[in-house]
Amino acid sequence: MTRFEGIHTPIPTPFAAAGSVDEAALRRNVARWMATPLAGLVVLGSTGEAPLLDEDESDRVVAVAREGVPAGRALIAGTGRESTRATIDATRRAAAAGADAVLVRTPSFFKPQMTAGVFVGHYARVADASPVPVLLYNVTAFTGVTLPVEAVERLAAHPNVAGIKESGSDIGLIADLVACAPEGFIVLAGSATTLVYALLAGCHGGVLALAAIVPGACVEVQALVRRRCVDEAVALQRRLLPLARSVGSRFGVAGLKAAMDVLGYEGGDPRPPLVPVSAETRDLLRAQLEDIGPRLTGAAAPPAAQVPRGR
Amino acid sequence: MTRFEGIHTPIPTPFAAAGSVDEAALRRNVARWMATPLAGLVVLGSTGEAPLLDEDESDRVVAVAREGVPAGRALIAGTGRESTRATIDATRRAAAAGADAVLVRTPSFFKPQMTAGVFVGHYARVADASPVPVLLYNVTAFTGVTLPVEAVERLAAHPNVAGIKESGSDIGLIADLVACAPEGFIVLAGSATTLVYALLAGCHGGVLALAAIVPGACVEVQALVRRRCVDEAVALQRRLLPLARSVGSRFGVAGLKAAMDVLGYEGGDPRPPLVPVSAETRDLLRAQLEDIGPRLTGAAAPPAAQVPRGR
Amino acid sequence: MTRFEGIHTPIPTPFAAAGSVDEAALRRNVARWMATPLAGLVVLGSTGEAPLLDEDESDRVVAVAREGVPAGRALIAGTGRESTRATIDATRRAAAAGADAVLVRTPSFFKPQMTAGVFVGHYARVADASPVPVLLYNVTAFTGVTLPVEAVERLAAHPNVAGIKESGSDIGLIADLVACAPEGFIVLAGSATTLVYALLAGCHGGVLALAAIVPGACVEVQALVRRRCVDEAVALQRRLLPLARSVGSRFGVAGLKAAMDVLGYEGGDPRPPLVPVSAETRDLLRAQLEDIGPRLTGAAAPPAAQVPRGR
Amino acid sequence: MTRFEGIHTPIPTPFAAAGSVDEAALRRNVARWMATPLAGLVVLGSTGEAPLLDEDESDRVVAVAREGVPAGRALIAGTGRESTRATIDATRRAAAAGADAVLVRTPSFFKPQMTAGVFVGHYARVADASPVPVLLYNVTAFTGVTLPVEAVERLAAHPNVAGIKESGSDIGLIADLVACAPEGFIVLAGSATTLVYALLAGCHGGVLALAAIVPGACVEVQALVRRRCVDEAVALQRRLLPLARSVGSRFGVAGLKAAMDVLGYEGGDPRPPLVPVSAETRDLLRAQLEDIGPRLTGAAAPPAAQVPRGR
């Protein structure tokens, strides 16, 4: 498997009671994920509440995660900012802190000006300056803009642009991204409800919030697809669907953090203005996790046994 | 294969020079499609320019198509109108003219009022009154509204609601529709760029504009999926992608009619305000059809040999 | 005052218990409106549930209204259809039935194809064929498309295009429409919450659902603006705001019909799939009407005294 | 006139050739604006390319501007961030640097979570913590979210929430904001194409990019409205319309900076990924400025004479 293929999870950032980043909690989560078959972790993605962190916190998150992620696994850091120069700065700092690649969200504030040409100019400069491979990142639901396929096609020719994460569930668009790119250009799915289809369309893996709580199941979906046990893959994905919705579009990162709490991860509250889920939602998440069962969530296994590092 | 499964095509309505429906041309097209392995035809869909036809024309299109479609193939008629009573009237007339089922587009004009409850009320009355099975029809790109999954779930319990055509390419939504419906509820894909994935998600077939020009290839895609030759299915679908875009979102029904002209079908011009494609687009379509090749378009076979019925 | 200037109301279509158009009720309503200072009536607009009526019903509505509207007042008929030919047919029939002008909603179903050029082609043909002046009609909230200012500018040069009704509340767009048009081109506001500002921007009047229940107040707003008593106009409009919302975007035509019932007009239920408002909404409307007071609604005057015709 | 009433301009941030903030240029621009009748300046707004500046740069912009803005004029600083804590930090720093008030853009990244309750919670905490009055700031065109009127109504009761800037041109919404707020709550228009109407609806002034190049004309518009010379106000505003479009939605901040260059202000290039306007656009802006004439742009007066301060 090439680099950046496989199932990654965009990890949440845990906060201490006073509101600062809880580095110890982050360390514990990372260690536990490293006991799963995940190909790698994405820090500072949307799920990591990256837009709510300051620059120093962002740098620390990369460094702390790096300590827990061995060389064999990918550590990808979100470094997209609105300005090209801030994106380059964040990219260099993330690389210096040990990130294997950066995931660069589209700038989006000045929407009417975000043309294909502007996107190409932005990403080309970032890729020129980045010490590590650059992954494009399109997440229309949050940004309100869409990176055009023609821009991706042009950027895929850049030697330091390694791939793209497409967060939506438009399988026609995903197939277009695969089709437009040269051999070796990585396309990662960002939606767990779309994973099997995206993989069959030629995606090389995924960056899935769902994988933070059911990593083994998400990896199994891809393994089933690789062995072309498509019906089993679809069936497994369908079992995960209600939970995928809950930690995705329905309750967002607050939902994912609550589900992590249920499983013994360090979830906690999101940073304001985001608010925690209600008690009812917490109960719903608990029930959905029980429906899925301990085999898929891995909750039955004693956490200690899942932490290889520090031995 | 149950009724309404398999690959259907939503046939365009040919117009004579003076602008009226060209029934003879329609007959010739239908005969030629009946020489292909298509499971059935949809008349009076969006591709049939249904919103541009009057009630009498609509009735004639059903009747003329029925003459050419034998009992073993499905003839489905679009009968959605903005009012419930007009929808019921059109539905009864289509059934009387021989339609095997009706495909009922969501009402959409009064957008703020189109709640789940209003959709359920509308479709339940139509299904109560219809002499033939009702297929729901969601096509957000044209209507600007989306039939909620919860409404589909409730309507799927109605004994005379046989299924749904979902025209979009959101594979997460398509999977939800399959998941929400009881055994036997038909879900048909409406986008050729999505077909393989939709079928793997549990769809039972498709209603594809692309199938009007490459019916054999579309049927082969589904056959490959059925035999779980998924890679071959994806590869074949990818070959069809540029053409699918051209006769889909890019050039619309005018593009499909021009492609039909190239292949010797009766395409012609769309009805105003729609305008024919430019000469450049026509050349592009010709080139895309040549790229696909005669085996897939069936253009090499002498049309006469493909028309078994009515002779 | 030139033709088509001033305050018009887009009248609802009353239905009998069995669901057919209640012509007697329509006649009574028209008679009552003719006892108000309204400049004219629009039949078969969105508020008239035009998309829910069939062609015969539409023709009858024009004819019945014409009987009640004397020559000195404008009778404008909505005749927009998706196809150019159906629009021309409906336009000719409406003219034959006595309409002084037609109000032609943009075609909108095939959204990706609705370019400025297509709109210009459509309206130019309709205007060429129409025996009476044509008013363009843009209502993005319902159609999902917007007639571009450049298209309006080109169409305003057509001798039989008399003006436009813009239904939205984007005052920048309204000012652009006024600025792009030659002297004598009528621009009518379609939103009661926007009336004063639209008039000051150069609009010549309005087509307001609100004017069906408080015609005198709406006419007074324009009179105040004409005399440049702007503060009084704004103050009066503000008093009408809650009611304007209720019979506009909030509850739609069902809300307007319920408010008419309260005032002794023939309101009744909308045609399915539209549903009547709830009892709570009916109470709210009653309270809002009472807040406005009998002077503005004219409810205090005995209905009989307000019906001059038929004596 | 109360504080924060009147015409303000959201000033662009000039950059030196190397890409850093050009403080000397900023100083010169501020001095020149202080020679105009503008009520105040907004730094770090959307037009100030605030999302493209880092925290240190932002602080310097406030401090440098403060040096040039005397106590009698308002200096308002944009301090909206995605997180509540970063917004509070930026707010305190801006107040410490001398800002008279802060303009706080809605958080918007996690769109599905941005409910009325979340907005109220966010702004209430910011207002609690802010040493200076808080102005809410809604700019849907850039953020993709809209601050609901009900949230504004609740926040207007907070003693430290002084008002709102609404950037859109929906005059119905603007009238609602005025109507929902208590006496003394400031509503500022953000669109020059809407100014007269917004003022008549009860707005207390504006924050207008256009005012950076034609400050006198914008102030004159409000003065005309105050004297109820409404026709003259509308006529003047209409003369400014093409230029308002050019430096607004059409060419954005790059257009405004190019227009400033024409007039002898320090405009320069925007920060990447934004790109400068083309030579053709520059010519168009020059022509539009010439059409407006030296009286309105003030270009005829020798710049030296317009810079009273610091000499």
Side-chain angles (χ1 to χ4, degrees):
Chain A
M1 193 158 53
T2 328
R3 294 204 88 185
F4 315 126
E5 296 198 0
I7 303 300
H8 306 71
T9 195
I11 71 173
T13 305
F15 298 107
S20 56
V21 174
D22 187 339
E23 299 187 5
L26 175 60
R27 245 180 267 273
R28 283 191 292 274
N29 283 343
V30 168
R32 188 161 162 191
W33 283 312
M34 285 305 101
T36 71
L38 287 174
L41 302 185
V42 172
V43 293
L44 306 173
S46 304
T47 307
E49 297 176 67
L52 306 182
L53 302 184
D54 66 29
E55 298 292 354
D56 289 341
E57 290 173 327
S58 299
D59 293 349
R60 283 298 299 158
V61 166
V62 180
V64 169
R66 180 74 278 176
E67 293 169 22
V69 178
R73 312 245 200 161
L75 177 67
I76 302 171
T79 59
R81 300 289 187 279
E82 284 296 323
S83 83
T84 306
R85 63 190 269 146
T87 304
I88 290 173
D89 282 355
T91 293
R92 286 179 171 151
R93 294 200 320 269
D100 297 312
V102 289
L103 181 66
V104 181
R105 189 180 61 232
T106 52
S108 66
F109 187 78
F110 297 100
K111 291 180 175 46
Q113 272 72 44
M114 294 298 106
T115 60
V118 161
F119 282 129
V120 169
H122 175 73
Y123 279 114
R125 288 187 207 194
V126 173
D128 285 348
S130 175
V132 294
V134 169
L135 297 165
L136 315 175
Y137 177 19
N138 186 61
V139 55
T140 302
F142 289 148
T143 63
V145 303
T146 298
L147 189 57
V149 172
E150 66 185 275
V152 175
E153 187 168 12
R154 288 168 61 190
L155 288 164
H158 191 291
N160 205 27
V161 174
I164 184 170
K165 175 190 173 190
E166 165 55 49
S167 291
S169 58
D170 181 332
I171 193 70
L173 172 59
I174 291 171
D176 275 355
L177 291 174
V178 171
C180 85
E183 186 68 25
F185 184 80
I186 301 284
V187 183
L188 298 173
S191 163
T193 62
T194 305
L195 182 61
V196 170
Y197 316 112
L199 293 171
L200 290 171
C203 281
H204 306 82
V207 180
L208 309 171
L210 183 68
I213 48 172
V214 290
C218 292
V219 170
E220 194 176 333
V221 167
Q222 183 165 22
L224 288 167
V225 172
R226 283 217 174 94
R227 297 201 308 271
R228 289 300 181 264
C229 300
V230 175
D231 294 325
E232 292 83 350
V234 167
L236 176 53
Q237 181 174 271
R238 190 175 302 180
R239 275 190 64 192
L240 303 173
L241 208 64
L243 200 54
R245 297 255 173 241
S246 289
V247 304
S249 55
R250 193 163 171 205
F251 304 118
V253 63
L256 177 60
K257 286 187 157 182
M260 287 174 65
D261 286 338
V262 172
L263 294 175
Y265 283 90
E266 304 273 0
D269 290 349
R271 181 169 270 186
L274 296 182
V275 291
V277 297
S278 66
E280 290 73 32
T281 298
R282 208 168 280 269
D283 291 344
L284 172 67
L285 289 163
R286 191 183 308 274
Q288 289 180 332
L289 285 164
E290 281 169 8
D291 271 3
I292 297 283
R295 194 185 68 77
L296 293 181
T297 58
Q306 298 184 328
V307 183
R309 122 179 349 264
R311 292 181 186 176
Chain B
M1 195 159 52
T2 328
R3 294 207 87 185
F4 315 126
E5 295 197 2
I7 304 300
H8 306 72
T9 195
I11 71 174
T13 306
F15 298 107
S20 57
V21 174
D22 186 338
E23 298 188 4
L26 175 60
R27 244 180 267 273
R28 283 190 292 273
N29 283 342
V30 168
R32 189 159 161 192
W33 284 312
M34 286 304 103
T36 71
L38 287 173
L41 302 184
V42 171
V43 294
L44 305 173
S46 304
T47 307
E49 297 175 66
L52 307 182
L53 302 184
D54 68 26
E55 299 292 354
D56 290 342
E57 290 173 327
S58 300
D59 293 349
R60 284 298 300 157
V61 166
V62 180
V64 169
R66 180 75 277 174
E67 293 169 23
V69 178
R73 310 243 201 164
L75 178 68
I76 302 170
T79 58
R81 301 289 188 276
E82 284 297 323
S83 83
T84 306
R85 63 191 269 147
T87 304
I88 290 173
D89 283 356
T91 293
R92 286 179 171 149
R93 295 199 319 269
D100 297 311
V102 289
L103 180 66
V104 180
R105 189 179 60 232
T106 53
S108 66
F109 187 79
F110 297 100
K111 289 178 176 47
Q113 272 72 45
M114 293 298 108
T115 60
V118 162
F119 283 130
V120 169
H122 175 73
Y123 279 114
R125 290 188 207 193
V126 173
D128 286 347
S130 175
V132 293
V134 170
L135 297 164
L136 314 175
Y137 176 20
N138 186 61
V139 55
T140 303
F142 288 148
T143 62
V145 302
T146 298
L147 189 58
V149 172
E150 66 184 276
V152 175
E153 188 168 11
R154 288 168 61 190
L155 288 163
H158 191 291
N160 204 26
V161 174
I164 184 170
K165 175 190 174 190
E166 165 55 48
S167 290
S169 57
D170 181 334
I171 193 71
L173 172 58
I174 291 170
D176 275 355
L177 292 173
V178 170
C180 85
E183 188 66 27
F185 184 79
I186 300 285
V187 182
L188 298 173
S191 163
T193 62
T194 305
L195 182 61
V196 170
Y197 316 111
L199 293 171
L200 289 171
C203 281
H204 308 81
V207 180
L208 310 171
L210 183 69
I213 48 173
V214 291
C218 292
V219 169
E220 194 177 332
V221 167
Q222 183 165 22
L224 287 167
V225 173
R226 284 216 174 95
R227 298 201 307 273
R228 289 299 180 266
C229 301
V230 175
D231 295 324
E232 292 83 349
V234 167
L236 177 53
Q237 182 174 271
R238 189 174 303 178
R239 277 190 64 192
L240 303 174
L241 209 63
L243 200 54
R245 298 256 174 241
S246 289
V247 304
S249 54
R250 193 164 171 203
F251 304 118
V253 63
L256 178 60
K257 286 187 156 182
M260 288 174 63
D261 286 337
V262 172
L263 294 175
Y265 283 90
E266 304 273 359
D269 290 349
R271 180 169 271 186
L274 296 182
V275 291
V277 296
S278 67
E280 291 73 31
T281 298
R282 207 167 280 269
D283 290 343
L284 172 68
L285 288 164
R286 190 183 309 274
Q288 289 180 332
L289 285 163
E290 281 169 8
D291 271 2
I292 297 284
R295 193 184 68 78
L296 293 181
T297 58
Q306 298 183 326
V307 185
R309 91 188 26 257
R311 304 257 162 128
Chain C
M1 194 158 54
T2 327
R3 294 207 86 185
F4 316 126
E5 295 197 2
I7 304 300
H8 306 73
T9 196
I11 70 174
T13 307
F15 298 107
S20 56
V21 174
D22 185 339
E23 299 188 3
L26 175 61
R27 244 180 268 272
R28 284 190 292 273
N29 283 341
V30 168
R32 189 160 161 191
W33 285 311
M34 285 305 103
T36 72
L38 287 173
L41 302 184
V42 172
V43 293
L44 306 173
S46 304
T47 307
E49 297 176 66
L52 307 181
L53 302 184
D54 68 27
E55 299 291 355
D56 289 342
E57 290 173 327
S58 300
D59 293 349
R60 283 299 299 158
V61 166
V62 180
V64 169
R66 181 73 278 174
E67 293 169 23
V69 178
R73 312 243 201 163
L75 177 67
I76 302 171
T79 59
R81 301 288 188 278
E82 284 296 323
S83 84
T84 307
R85 64 191 269 146
T87 304
I88 290 173
D89 283 356
T91 294
R92 286 179 171 150
R93 296 199 319 270
D100 297 310
V102 289
L103 181 66
V104 180
R105 190 179 60 232
T106 53
S108 66
F109 187 78
F110 296 100
K111 291 178 175 47
Q113 272 73 46
M114 293 299 106
T115 61
V118 161
F119 283 129
V120 169
H122 174 74
Y123 279 114
R125 290 189 207 193
V126 173
D128 286 347
S130 175
V132 294
V134 169
L135 297 165
L136 314 176
Y137 176 20
N138 187 60
V139 55
T140 302
F142 288 149
T143 63
V145 302
T146 298
L147 190 57
V149 172
E150 66 184 275
V152 175
E153 187 168 12
R154 288 167 60 189
L155 288 163
H158 191 292
N160 205 26
V161 174
I164 183 170
K165 175 190 174 191
E166 165 56 48
S167 291
S169 58
D170 182 333
I171 192 70
L173 172 59
I174 291 169
D176 275 355
L177 292 173
V178 170
C180 86
E183 189 66 26
F185 184 79
I186 300 284
V187 182
L188 298 173
S191 163
T193 62
T194 306
L195 182 60
V196 171
Y197 316 112
L199 293 171
L200 290 170
C203 281
H204 307 81
V207 180
L208 310 171
L210 183 69
I213 48 174
V214 290
C218 293
V219 169
E220 194 177 332
V221 168
Q222 183 164 22
L224 288 167
V225 173
R226 283 217 174 94
R227 299 201 308 272
R228 289 300 180 262
C229 302
V230 175
D231 295 325
E232 292 82 350
V234 168
L236 176 54
Q237 182 174 270
R238 190 174 302 177
R239 275 190 65 192
L240 303 173
L241 209 63
L243 200 54
R245 298 258 174 240
S246 289
V247 303
S249 54
R250 193 164 171 203
F251 304 119
V253 63
L256 178 60
K257 287 187 155 183
M260 288 174 63
D261 286 338
V262 172
L263 293 175
Y265 283 90
E266 305 272 359
D269 291 347
R271 179 169 272 188
L274 296 182
V275 291
V277 296
S278 66
E280 291 74 30
T281 298
R282 206 168 281 268
D283 290 343
L284 171 68
L285 289 163
R286 189 183 310 273
Q288 289 180 333
L289 285 164
E290 281 168 10
D291 271 3
I292 296 284
R295 194 185 66 80
L296 293 181
T297 57
Q306 298 183 328
V307 184
R309 110 187 0 264
R311 289 184 187 176
Chain D
M1 193 159 52
T2 327
R3 294 207 86 186
F4 316 126
E5 295 197 0
I7 304 299
H8 306 72
T9 195
I11 70 173
T13 306
F15 298 108
S20 56
V21 174
D22 187 338
E23 299 187 4
L26 175 59
R27 246 180 266 272
R28 283 190 293 273
N29 283 343
V30 168
R32 189 162 162 190
W33 284 312
M34 284 306 101
T36 71
L38 287 173
L41 302 184
V42 172
V43 293
L44 306 173
S46 304
T47 307
E49 298 176 66
L52 307 182
L53 303 183
D54 67 28
E55 298 292 354
D56 290 342
E57 290 173 328
S58 300
D59 293 349
R60 285 296 300 157
V61 166
V62 180
V64 169
R66 180 74 277 175
E67 293 169 23
V69 178
R73 311 241 202 165
L75 177 67
I76 302 170
T79 58
R81 301 288 187 279
E82 284 296 323
S83 83
T84 307
R85 62 190 270 145
T87 304
I88 290 173
D89 283 355
T91 293
R92 286 179 171 150
R93 295 199 320 270
D100 297 311
V102 289
L103 181 66
V104 181
R105 189 180 60 231
T106 53
S108 66
F109 187 78
F110 297 100
K111 291 180 175 46
Q113 272 72 46
M114 293 299 106
T115 59
V118 161
F119 283 130
V120 169
H122 174 74
Y123 279 114
R125 288 188 207 194
V126 173
D128 285 347
S130 175
V132 294
V134 170
L135 297 165
L136 315 176
Y137 177 19
N138 187 60
V139 54
T140 302
F142 288 149
T143 63
V145 302
T146 298
L147 190 56
V149 173
E150 67 184 273
V152 176
E153 187 168 12
R154 288 167 62 190
L155 288 164
H158 191 292
N160 205 27
V161 174
I164 184 169
K165 175 189 173 190
E166 165 55 49
S167 290
S169 58
D170 182 332
I171 193 70
L173 172 59
I174 291 170
D176 276 353
L177 292 174
V178 170
C180 86
E183 187 67 25
F185 184 80
I186 300 285
V187 182
L188 298 173
S191 163
T193 62
T194 305
L195 182 60
V196 171
Y197 316 111
L199 293 171
L200 289 170
C203 281
H204 306 81
V207 179
L208 309 172
L210 183 68
I213 49 173
V214 291
C218 292
V219 170
E220 194 176 333
V221 167
Q222 183 165 22
L224 287 167
V225 173
R226 283 217 174 95
R227 298 201 308 271
R228 289 300 180 265
C229 301
V230 175
D231 295 324
E232 292 82 351
V234 167
L236 176 53
Q237 181 173 272
R238 190 175 301 178
R239 275 190 64 194
L240 303 174
L241 208 64
L243 200 54
R245 298 255 175 243
S246 289
V247 304
S249 55
R250 193 164 172 205
F251 304 120
V253 63
L256 177 60
K257 286 187 156 182
M260 287 174 64
D261 286 338
V262 172
L263 294 175
Y265 284 90
E266 304 273 0
D269 291 348
R271 181 169 271 186
L274 295 183
V275 292
V277 297
S278 66
E280 291 74 31
T281 298
R282 208 167 280 270
D283 291 344
L284 172 67
L285 289 163
R286 190 183 309 275
Q288 289 180 332
L289 285 164
E290 282 169 9
D291 271 4
I292 297 284
R295 194 185 67 79
L296 293 182
T297 58
Q306 297 184 326
V307 183
R309 99 185 16 257
R311 303 262 161 123

